[in-house]
Amino acid sequence: MIQETDSIAYSEEDAEQSETSVASPPSTGSQAKVITVAGGKGGIGKTMICASLSMALAQAGLRVTLVDADLGGANLHTVLGMYMPAKTLHDFIQRRVKTLDEVTMPTPIEGLKLVCGAPGVVGLANIQHWEKLKMIRHLRKLSADYVVVDIGAGMSLNEIDLFNSGDITIVVANPEPTSIQECYNFLKVAIFRRLRREFSDSFTVQELLDRCKDPSHANDRRLLTEIGDEIMAADRRDGVLFFKTLNAFAPKLILNRVFDYQETRDGLALQIATQDLLQIKLDYWGYMSYDPSIPQVVRAARPHDILAPESLNRQRFLSMIRKYLLGENIRYQRPGARMILPLLYHQKKNDPNWVSRICSLQCQLWGNCPLQEGGMPCRMPEEEFNEKLGRLGNLKTQTLAA
Ligand SMILES: Nc1ncnc2c1ncn2[C@@H]1O[C@H](COP(=O)(O)OP(=O)(O)O)[C@@H](O)[C@H]1O
Ligand SMILES: [Mg+2]
C-alpha cells in the first residue's frame, strides 16, 4: 500500500530547502547529470544495468559515480568486485561526513567511482523524509559528469521520490508478464506521485487524482489527459502545469535478461500500455541479453567482464549511450507525441495522400537498421529504403532457391 503522506522532519540544515525540491528540474551547468534506475520488482537486473551503463559511460571517457541507493539490499560493490566497503552511504546519512564525495570510493573500472550502500544496516531502508531530500540534493553535487543511482525494489515513497528526482529516469524490466506488470505499476505510481506533489496545494486536483488512481478506475474511468482537460477548463494555469508535468515525465525503458530478440516485443507492449492508459511517453532504449557467464564473473570479482570487449552487450550499451546520452543522432520530438505505433505506414486522417513510414518492429529492415526509432517517422530516405528492401527481397529469394 502506498503511503501518500510524509512526515516532514526537517533538520536545521535542511530547513531552508523546500519540499518541492524532491523532483528537481534537470540539472544545468557543471552539475552532475543524475540518472535514476528502478523497476519495481526485485531480481530483474537493475543493479546489473546500472553497472553496465556506468561502465559504458566511463569507457567513453566520462567521469561517472555510481550510487547504491538500494537502501534495503545494497550489493553494487560486490558486482564491482569490492568487498567490505570502508565508507558507505550510511556515513553520509548519519552525518559523519558532510558530502557524498567524502564517501566515494574508486572502483576497478577506470573513471568509475562508487558510493557504496550500507549492506545489512538495520533501519536504513526507513530513512526519514528530510534525510531522503538531503541525499537527493547532494547527488547533483557529486564531482562527476554522470551520477547513476541504483534504486531498490518496491514502490514506497523512498523509491518513487528517488526515481522522480533523476534528470534521466530509467525503468528496467524483464520480458516476462510479472515484471512488465510491475514496471507498469511503478510508472503509474511515479506519475501520480509527481502530479500530486506538483498540485500539493490544490484540493480539487488532489481529489480528481484520488478518484482515478485505483487500478479498477471504479470511481473515475477517465484518462489522465481527460482529467487534465477538466482542470484546464476550470483553471488554465493549473491545466497548463498539469500537461507540462505529464509531458516532462519521460522515462526510458531497458529490457534485461533477453534470451531471444523476439522477446523485446514485451517492451513494445509496455510502451503501448503506458502510452494508452497513462499517456506517458516511454522511450525504449534497448536491451541486455541474458549472459550465462554473469554469475561466474561476479563470483570471480571480474567486473570488466560484465561488458566483455567483444560482447554484444558491450556494443549495445556503447551505442545506447552514444545515441541517447552523448548527443549523437539526437532527435527532437513533439511533446506528447505517440512513441510507438505498431504500424509501418501512417496516413493522416484528413489527408489521404499524406503517407509516412513509421519506424516499427514490423519493418523488415528493423533488425539491422542503424536508425531504429520505434514510433517515429522513418529517417531513411525513400530511395535507400526501397533499395534495401529490394536487396533483402533478392536475398530471401536466393536463400529460398538455394
Ligand atoms: N543480463 C543478465 N544475464 C544473466 N544474469 C543476469 C543478467 N542481469 C542480471 N543477472 C543476474 O540476475 C540476478 C539479479 O540481478 P540484480 O542486478 O541483482 O537485480 P536487481 O538489482 O533488480 O535486484 C543476479 O544474480 C545477476 O547476476
Ligand atoms: Mg539490486
Side-chain angles (χ1 to χ4, degrees):
M1 198 53 211
I2 305 145
Q3 183 198 340
E4 289 284 359
T5 49
D6 296 329
S7 58
I8 301 168
Y10 293 103
S11 70
E12 275 173 34
E13 189 196 341
D14 296 278
E16 82 279 8
Q17 297 290 332
S18 83
E19 195 193 349
T20 48
S21 63
V22 163
S24 317
S27 63
T28 50
S30 60
Q31 277 191 330
K33 220 175 189 122
V34 176
I35 303 178
T36 51
V37 181
K41 201 169 182 299
I44 52 172
K46 297 178 292 297
T47 300
M48 201 51 70
I49 294 291
C50 284
S52 307
L53 189 68
S54 309
M55 279 192 246
L57 280 165
Q59 284 171 13
L62 290 141
R63 296 174 307 145
V64 189
T65 300
L66 250 171
V67 177
D68 193 344
D70 185 342
L71 301 174
N75 58 3
L76 246 172
H77 56 287
T78 312
V79 171
L80 292 175
M82 299 157 66
Y83 299 107
M84 305 289 282
K87 294 175 275 182
T88 71
L89 194 56
H90 195 227
D91 294 309
F92 173 76
I93 290 171
Q94 290 285 300
R95 301 195 199 188
R96 287 193 276 271
V97 294
K98 284 205 160 130
T99 63
L100 280 174
D101 272 326
E102 290 169 74
V103 288
T104 302
M105 312 227 322
T107 71
I109 314 287
E110 206 191 325
L112 178 61
K113 291 182 182 167
L114 174 66
V115 172
C116 295
V121 173
V122 177
L124 187 65
N126 307 317
I127 56 169
Q128 298 225 29
H129 183 72
W130 68 266
E131 291 172 325
K132 176 176 67 186
L133 296 188
K134 181 178 155 194
M135 184 165 94
I136 286 173
R137 247 185 6 261
H138 278 255
L139 289 174
R140 272 188 188 79
K141 295 184 184 169
L142 275 160
S143 333
D145 299 314
Y146 283 94
V147 170
V148 179
V149 188
D150 182 10
I151 300 173
M155 294 185 209
S156 77
L157 291 184
N158 279 347
E159 287 86 37
I160 296 289
D161 284 345
L162 264 171
F163 177 75
N164 277 343
S165 74
D167 300 309
I168 297 164
T169 52
I170 297 179
V171 282
V172 178
N174 291 160
E176 52 188 67
T178 48
S179 168
I180 296 288
Q181 208 169 8
E182 226 152 304
C183 192
Y184 170 83
N185 290 337
F186 183 88
L187 289 168
K188 180 170 176 178
V189 174
I191 184 61
F192 271 84
R193 171 73 172 162
R194 196 173 263 206
L195 287 165
R196 289 182 72 87
R197 291 199 87 90
E198 210 57 68
F199 289 94
S200 54
D201 54 0
S202 166
F203 178 73
T204 328
V205 178
Q206 296 267 347
E207 205 191 27
L208 274 171
L209 288 171
D210 272 347
R211 270 201 274 147
C212 72
K213 81 169 180 198
D214 65 306
S216 62
H217 291 266
N219 298 318
D220 195 336
R221 290 190 167 273
R222 286 176 302 170
L223 297 168
L224 276 175
T225 41
E226 291 171 306
I227 302 284
D229 288 339
E230 183 179 329
I231 296 168
M232 183 77 92
D235 182 329
R236 200 176 148 70
R237 253 188 59 205
D238 275 357
V240 170
L241 180 62
F242 189 93
F243 281 105
K244 220 171 123 187
T245 311
L246 206 56
N247 278 330
F249 187 74
K252 325 294 173 197
L253 169 67
I254 301 181
L255 288 178
N256 184 33
R257 279 213 294 250
V258 172
F259 283 90
D260 175 342
Y261 182 75
Q262 294 296 318
E263 288 183 331
T264 56
R265 279 170 194 270
D266 284 335
L268 189 72
L270 180 59
Q271 276 183 305
I272 291 172
T274 46
Q275 171 73 40
D276 289 353
L277 301 174
L278 297 175
Q279 267 91 61
I280 292 174
K281 308 190 291 280
L282 179 64
D283 270 331
Y284 174 58
W285 268 20
Y287 70 97
M288 181 170 189
S289 301
Y290 174 79
D291 178 352
S293 72
I294 281 184
Q296 177 55 25
V297 164
V298 174
R299 206 172 297 124
R302 294 196 319 259
H304 289 93
D305 291 349
I306 291 174
L307 292 187
E310 302 303 322
S311 68
L312 281 173
N313 278 339
R314 178 166 186 270
Q315 284 173 27
R316 281 188 196 115
F317 275 96
L318 285 177
S319 71
M320 203 186 289
I321 62 159
R322 270 202 298 270
K323 190 167 171 191
Y324 298 113
L325 294 173
L326 308 182
E328 294 172 30
N329 254 339
I330 210 154
R331 65 190 155 109
Y332 297 95
Q333 63 216 14
R334 191 162 48 86
R338 188 185 170 106
M339 299 309 296
I340 278 285
L341 293 173
L343 304 170
L344 186 51
Y345 292 94
H346 177 61
Q347 198 166 32
K348 264 191 187 169
K349 260 190 206 153
N350 48 1
D351 182 1
N353 295 323
W354 188 94
V355 179
S356 83
R357 276 177 282 115
I358 298 291
C359 179
S360 159
L361 255 178
Q362 292 180 8
C363 174
Q364 282 173 282
L365 303 182
W366 171 274
N368 296 316
C369 184
L371 304 172
Q372 257 186 31
E373 288 183 330
M376 304 300 290
C378 170
R379 289 191 288 125
M380 195 179 288
E382 187 83 29
E383 275 178 25
E384 189 184 339
F385 179 80
N386 288 333
E387 189 201 307
K388 285 196 171 167
L389 214 57
R391 260 194 274 149
L392 198 74
N394 286 341
L395 198 73
K396 274 190 184 160
T397 325
Q398 280 166 20
T399 321
L400 281 177

